[in-house]
Amino acid sequence: MVFDLDVCDVCDVATHWPCDHWGVPGPVVYRTPTDGDESLSRLGAAARQVGLDSGLAAVGIASADIFTETREVLHARRRDGLHGTMEFTYRNPDRSTDPGRILEGARSLVVGAWGYRRADPISSQVTISVHGDPTPTDTTSGLAHPTGLAPHPPKGTVARYARHDYYRSLRRALERIADRLRADGWRAIVVVDDNALVDRAAAQRAGLGWFGKNSLLLLPELGSWYVLGSVVTDAPLEPSAPSGPSEPGEGCGSCRRCITACPTGAIVADGVIDARRCLAWLVQAPGPIPVEFRTAMGSRIYGCDECQDACPINRVADRRHRSPAPEPGSVATIDLLDLLVATDDELIDAHGRWYIAKRDPRYLRRNALVALGNVGDRRDPETLATLDRWADGDDELLAEHARWARDQLGRLDGASPVGTEAGTEAGTGAGAGAEAGAGPGAGAGPGAGATR
């Protein structure tokens, strides 16, 4: 089969689809299904069972029709500026809402959810340095209360979905589903954490759940701690029944806990996120962190879980279902001082699977400087020396954030801040250029984050 020549959103090169980044070289010759193949109804059931046996918490099937409503939402929110400068599925809404652009002749989506709710130690846990040295530390304030003062050495916190490579586990499970479909002669392509498909909209259509007021997909009785992905196939499988209400927040009733819990007021309407205010996006966006949101960042260096932590459905799920232990090597906190002395290569080696703006480690340092200003100890010589070094450096972006952090520590200790005017001035222009935003169905899983 020959695919139309097009430009890949991921590779940014002209290619015959599907592109190599999907893991499916093109062109590809597939076996034509024969009359002896398993019936489609049994095939759909078999595909779901394979997914569940592979560790998925939920599996559903949806048609591969264009997501017309989601496409309109993406275009409208781009016009309103709610996406900030975020691209992902906003980059080309006409592509990300059309599964047929992934696989010509696509008929169905098999959508899966992989859980990342894990036990979250409060009194003690392991902090990983970028040099790979685990250090048992007391984190009674840093992780449980991201804006509280952390003990020495100061720790930066990581959102739950990013503590382990849950997308890799999700992909493996979906590949097993794809293999099952291919065994009967159907074509199948796995799409995970990719700007080519609006995965939350796909999950809702597949009956996995419904949208909360924070725009995240809520699985019935399970909550929102899930990453999402799909298998796009030309097999005409029977769709799953819808699950829950169709409108964002409709199943939440009068509850507004996620809205009031958001540190920056980023949930501006039911299911509508202003990415320019959303911390989950601001820590990924290029440029300065807007000054008005830096204190709200607390100890966060990647992601934000506030709206999910506040959700009663997640809280009930936590009580009903014991959280599994974290995977070996999971990183919940990172030594901020260690991060700020690490080389570029060390940072990319340690955290390269995260989305880092322009693949430039300076943005991890930027986040660490803000976090250090919020949870560091002004009486600690190493903390002050670190901030002084970056404040006097040649990188003005990092120098300004280091000066802000130094001043912030002074304010927390009741001392008179210095250099406030320069820090505020640098951040004022950042507010208009900061990025984020989304809404129900607008992107990949976030399950991973409200801005995806």
Side-chain angles (χ1 to χ4, degrees), residues 195-438:
N195 62 9
L197 185 64
V198 283
D199 59 2
R200 279 180 282 168
Q204 185 201 35
R205 181 185 284 181
L208 266 61
W210 47 278
F211 295 123
K213 290 181 180 179
N214 62 1
S215 85
L216 296 181
L217 191 82
L218 287 158
L219 278 63
E221 300 184 5
L222 296 177
S224 59
W225 301 109
Y226 296 89
V227 289
L228 307 169
S230 298
V231 179
V232 185
T233 179
D234 59 350
L237 304 175
E238 182 178 355
S240 304
S243 174
S246 59
E247 293 300 316
E250 188 177 344
C252 302
S254 61
C255 179
R256 292 173 49 85
R257 293 187 184 182
C258 63
I259 296 174
T260 57
C262 179
T264 58
I267 307 174
V268 295
D270 290 356
V272 182
I273 308 299
D274 186 342
R276 296 165 296 187
R277 306 178 66 88
C278 180
L279 294 177
W281 172 243
L282 291 178
V283 296
Q284 296 183 15
I289 300 290
V291 170
E292 61 268 30
F293 301 134
R294 292 182 188 179
T295 299
M297 272 182 60
S299 62
R300 300 173 186 86
I301 60 170
Y302 197 81
C304 178
D305 289 328
E306 289 297 317
C307 65
Q308 297 194 82
D309 282 331
C311 178
I313 295 176
N314 282 335
R315 290 174 176 265
V316 170
D318 289 342
R319 291 196 298 268
R320 290 180 176 175
H321 309 284
R322 179 184 293 273
S323 298
E327 291 81 0
S330 293
V331 179
T333 63
I334 294 175
D335 185 323
L336 294 173
L337 297 178
D338 185 81
L339 188 153
L340 288 167
V341 299
T343 65
D344 287 358
D345 288 342
E346 288 173 332
L347 289 175
I348 292 299
D349 287 345
H351 310 298
R353 62 180 174 80
W354 292 351
Y355 177 83
I356 301 171
K358 304 177 182 180
R359 302 300 295 167
D360 191 339
R362 72 196 291 244
Y363 292 110
L364 288 178
R365 298 187 181 103
R366 173 202 64 183
N367 297 349
L369 288 168
V370 174
L372 189 57
N374 287 324
V375 302
D377 184 351
R378 191 184 185 195
R379 296 163 297 183
D380 173 50
E382 186 179 1
T383 295
L384 294 181
T386 298
L387 292 177
D388 288 343
R389 183 173 67 254
W390 287 105
D392 296 335
D394 295 332
D395 188 323
E396 180 52 31
L397 173 75
L398 298 181
E400 187 277 316
H401 284 75
R403 293 193 295 269
W404 178 89
R406 195 168 54 188
D407 296 344
Q408 176 76 348
L409 289 181
R411 283 192 290 270
L412 291 174
D413 279 1
S416 299
V418 293
T420 304
E421 182 178 352
T424 303
E425 198 170 78
T428 302
E435 315 156 282

Side-chain angles (χ1 to χ4, degrees), residues 6-353:
D6 211 336
V7 176
C8 172
D9 266 348
V10 177
C11 303
D12 282 325
V13 296
T15 181
H16 288 288
W17 284 78
C19 184
D20 287 343
H21 82 268
W22 296 107
V24 180
V28 181
V29 177
Y30 295 90
R31 181 174 67 84
T32 302
T34 66
D35 293 338
D37 287 330
E38 187 176 21
S39 69
L40 291 173
S41 60
R42 292 184 60 193
L43 179 59
R48 283 192 292 266
Q49 192 59 51
V50 167
L52 295 173
D53 291 343
S54 300
L56 294 174
V59 184
I61 297 174
S63 74
D65 296 339
I66 291 173
F67 291 90
T68 304
E69 183 177 353
T70 303
R71 177 179 291 183
E72 293 172 355
V73 167
L74 289 171
H75 281 299
R77 293 183 184 171
R78 282 190 63 173
R79 288 194 300 269
D80 294 341
L82 292 174
H83 71 305
T85 56
M86 178 191 286
E87 293 194 350
F88 207 67
T89 52
Y90 281 103
R91 180 180 184 182
N92 188 340
D94 291 343
R95 181 188 300 283
S96 62
T97 54
D98 183 2
R101 303 288 291 272
I102 298 170
L103 176 66
E104 184 179 6
R107 299 286 298 277
S108 304
L109 306 174
V110 183
V111 186
W114 185 278
Y116 60 88
R117 183 174 60 89
R118 297 293 183 271
D120 189 14
I122 298 299
S123 60
S124 65
Q125 63 183 21
V126 171
T127 296
I128 304 295
S129 77
V130 296
H131 299 107
D133 303 320
T135 306
T137 57
D138 181 10
T139 57
T140 53
S141 58
L143 184 60
H145 307 286
T147 57
L149 292 177
H152 184 78
K155 312 299 187 301
T157 56
V158 178
R160 285 177 176 84
Y161 84 94
R163 296 175 185 176
H164 177 75
D165 194 352
Y166 294 106
Y167 282 113
R168 175 181 291 183
S169 302
L170 172 65
R171 178 178 291 278
R172 280 199 300 261
L174 293 176
E175 283 290 357
R176 293 187 181 111
I177 294 176
D179 286 342
R180 179 64 186 85
L181 297 172
R182 294 172 188 140
D184 275 20
W186 303 101
R187 292 176 294 147
I189 295 175
V190 173
V191 185
V192 169
D193 192 28
D194 201 297
N195 62 9
L197 185 64
V198 283
D199 59 2
R200 279 180 282 168
Q204 185 201 35
R205 181 185 284 181
L208 266 61
W210 47 278
F211 295 123
K213 290 181 180 179
N214 62 1
S215 85
L216 296 181
L217 191 82
L218 287 158
L219 278 63
E221 300 184 5
L222 296 177
S224 59
W225 301 109
Y226 296 89
V227 289
L228 307 169
S230 298
V231 179
V232 185
T233 179
D234 59 350
L237 304 175
E238 182 178 355
S240 304
S243 174
S246 59
E247 293 300 316
E250 188 177 344
C252 302
S254 61
C255 179
R256 292 173 49 85
R257 293 187 184 182
C258 63
I259 296 174
T260 57
C262 179
T264 58
I267 307 174
V268 295
D270 290 356
V272 182
I273 308 299
D274 186 342
R276 296 165 296 187
R277 306 178 66 88
C278 180
L279 294 177
W281 172 243
L282 291 178
V283 296
Q284 296 183 15
I289 300 290
V291 170
E292 61 268 30
F293 301 134
R294 292 182 188 179
T295 299
M297 272 182 60
S299 62
R300 300 173 186 86
I301 60 170
Y302 197 81
C304 178
D305 289 328
E306 289 297 317
C307 65
Q308 297 194 82
D309 282 331
C311 178
I313 295 176
N314 282 335
R315 290 174 176 265
V316 170
D318 289 342
R319 291 196 298 268
R320 290 180 176 175
H321 309 284
R322 179 184 293 273
S323 298
E327 291 81 0
S330 293
V331 179
T333 63
I334 294 175
D335 185 323
L336 294 173
L337 297 178
D338 185 81
L339 188 153
L340 288 167
V341 299
T343 65
D344 287 358
D345 288 342
E346 288 173 332
L347 289 175
I348 292 299
D349 287 345
H351 310 298
R353 62 180 174 80

